[in-house]
């Protein structure tokens, strides 16, 4: 994979593809 | 837009940006019906995570269309590119 | 950002936006190293046109990193999100 690939282990076991502009979107917990 | 640092000057949010982009690309692939490609993508980037999708068409598609509409409505492009009235109004504002 | 037309109110540039997004997602998949996923994607969306790639990391990745950096630098998020100084300056400007 290239240097532009995402980190192999995202910092959370459960990823939610939520709209980051939604009010209840909490970037910190991501 | 401001010019981002050159090669290797990793901006602090880059790792998170790359993770988010991969997540939204995965969501986009599923919402456009490219299921096999989506699964292949997860295995190629070695993500064994459970992922909850947003509503179709997904965030990447929604934001991209807004961006593209604004791009087409820019004063020096609007004569040749289709665009929505709101985008022209937003640009002129 | 201005609110885009509701469901089904196709904005003139939407068709072109969808095609561009598919093209830049394909380029992104190749530049991150997800070759199999990239090829699978083209066949699943039955893409027939030939494609000339941009320089790595490609437009989608570059655009997204600027977008995400600005998102993180927004006044109500910058305390909790990493971001570049340029993004903060751009927001404050």
């Amino acid at each position: 994979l290239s240097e532009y690939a995402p980190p192999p282990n995202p910092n959370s076991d459960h990823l939610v593809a939520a709209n980051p502009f939604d009010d209840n979107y909490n970037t910190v917990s991501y | 837009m401001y010019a981002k640092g050159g090669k290797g000057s990793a901006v602090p949010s880059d790792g998170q940006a790359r993770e988010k982009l991969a997540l939204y690309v995965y969501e986009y692939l599923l919402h456009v019906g490219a299921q096999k490609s989506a699964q292949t993508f997860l295995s190629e980037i070695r993500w064994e995570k459970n992922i909850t999708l947003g509503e179709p068409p997904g965030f990447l598609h929604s934001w991209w269309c807004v961006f593209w509409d604004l791009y087409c409505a820019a004063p020096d492009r609007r004569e040749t590119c289709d665009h929505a009235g709101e985008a022209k109004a937003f640009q002129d504002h």
Side-chain angles (χ1 to χ4, degrees), chain A, chain B:
Chain A
L1 287 175
S2 80
E3 63 185 288
Y4 307 113
N9 291 310
N11 58 14
S12 156
D13 268 344
H14 178 200
L15 296 173
V16 178
N19 179 336
F21 292 99
D22 279 350
D23 295 342
N24 54 3
Y25 179 89
N26 176 353
T27 47
V28 176
S29 72
Y30 280 96
Chain B
M1 196 75 88
Y2 66 93
K4 293 246 327 183
K7 205 170 163 52
S9 68
V11 162
S13 58
D14 261 2
Q16 194 190 47
R18 283 184 282 118
E19 178 182 301
K20 293 277 173 252
L21 180 53
L23 174 62
Y24 291 124
V25 164
Y26 171 72
E27 179 192 43
Y28 161 83
L29 292 172
L30 286 178
H31 283 323
V32 292
Q35 275 80 6
K36 272 192 292 190
S37 168
Q39 295 318 322
T40 309
F41 177 54
L42 279 196
S43 64
E44 285 189 286
I45 62 173
R46 297 192 289 278
W47 273 15
E48 294 95 31
K49 304 292 168 190
N50 63 339
I51 293 174
T52 303
L53 299 186
E55 286 296 302
F59 179 69
L60 183 63
H61 181 281
S62 308
W63 259 84
W64 174 264
C65 286
V66 169
F67 164 77
W68 191 256
D69 203 17
L70 284 172
Y71 174 85
C72 291
D76 52 347
R77 270 185 289 271
R78 63 181 56 157
E79 300 320 318
T80 54
C81 290
D82 283 340
H83 57 277
E86 296 94 329
K88 180 179 176 305
F90 189 87
Q91 288 276 13
D92 294 346
H93 171 73

